[in-house]
Amino acid sequence: MRYPHRHLLAIEGLHPPEIAGLLDLAESYVLLNRSGKTQRDLLRGRTLINLFYEDSTRTRTSFELAGKRLGADVINMSVSTSSVNKGETLLDTAATLNAMRCDLLVVRHDQSGAPNLLAQKVSSAVINAGDGTHEHPTQALLDALTLRRRRGTLEGLLVAICGDVLHSRVARSNIHLLGTMGCRVRVVGPPTLIPAAAAALGVEVFHDMQAGLQGVDVVMMLRLQRERMARSLVPSAREYFRFFGLDAAKLASAKPDVLVMHPGPMNRGVEIDSAVADDPLHSVIGEQVEMGVAVRMAVLDVLSRGGLRNG
Ligand code: NCD
């Protein structure tokens, strides 16, 4: 496959064959993982550092698993135990990591653009694991893999991304990926949580769940990112759930075989009702987590083919 980039910083700018190639490769890792086999030679002798400036459960763990399944030495650096707490700047941290000659650097940061900056300063391949409100490319890839496996193709699917779109890097990466791969995308949420520039991204905007979910193939729910709100943008969790929380009644507007997704962490009873989140007929939330490991293995694989620093 052709992936002519040293890093994975964003979905925006990737071409359909690059995305499809990553998904095809990830597909082979799903099968490998299910068969219980490993491929530990691929990254043997390579070092992967997980540098997380923000909390994470799924993303950090799945990068760790992906690295280990391919034989890399994986080091987890969480900022609460690093020198960043002592005031070290991002660039000084970068210089330190660079001196350690790591091959793959996975970065999550609360500032949009931090992974791009690091990519200019370190000689390792950099993977964006979520930066501020900008992008979360591996999440969009794992969502796409989940959908493609369920529906056979992404082409022509009608997808509603619902909730706190304004603060969501997951939404932004998905809007780029799904649009690039031929889906029609809607965003649904209160006006305070939809970016003013949404329409410019080529999506349809709805402020009513029933209308926004009408006839959709996929509903992607988002968490209310209170940590990114300078002031409260919603009246109360109860009221938010009433109007924008996904429950069986609202889901009834969608196609009968609609798929329900959520990147996690979920706030049950705020953006999604437990009965919907756990409904095996529609919810693919557990599958998304499984696909996350395979997608991250594929990303580590292609970046290592691009010639890592010590290679
Ligand atoms: C998301 C994130 O961190 O952007 N979670 C994830 O990676 N699965 C979404 C969120 O925090 O709500």
Side-chain angles (χ1 to χ4, degrees), residues 158-162 185-189 204-219 250 253-254:
L158 181 57
V159 183
I161 303 178
C162 308
V185 182
R186 296 176 172 176
V187 293
V188 189
E204 270 185 283
V205 178
F206 290 82
H207 299 304
D208 175 81
M209 283 287 271
Q210 234 97 20
L213 298 194
Q214 197 67 49
V216 301
D217 297 287
V218 181
V219 184
K250 296 190 191 89
S253 307

Side-chain angles (χ1 to χ4, degrees), residues 155-229:
E155 186 86 44
L157 292 179
L158 181 57
V159 183
I161 303 178
C162 308
D164 186 359
V165 178
L166 181 67
H167 299 103
S168 176
R169 51 202 180 201
V170 173
R172 227 162 302 273
S173 286
N174 265 301
I175 288 170
H176 289 302
L177 190 152
L178 297 170
T180 305
M181 300 308 277
C183 299
R184 285 189 295 147
V185 182
R186 296 176 172 176
V187 293
V188 189
T192 46
L193 295 180
I194 300 289
L201 291 172
V203 300
E204 270 185 283
V205 178
F206 290 82
H207 299 304
D208 175 81
M209 283 287 271
Q210 234 97 20
L213 298 194
Q214 197 67 49
V216 301
D217 297 287
V218 181
V219 184
M220 200 177 270
M221 296 309 299
L222 301 170
R223 183 176 64 87
L224 270 184
Q225 308 225 342
R226 291 184 190 277
E227 74 276 21
R228 296 189 215 286
M229 298 181 195

Side-chain angles (χ1 to χ4, degrees), residues 26-27 61 80 92 94 108 115 185 235 255 273 281 288 296-297:
E27 187 83 51
T61 316
S80 56
D92 284 336
R108 169 167 286 193
V185 182
K255 287 216 179 120
D273 187 37
L281 275 182
Q288 287 174 270
R296 287 162 182 134
M297 289 170 84

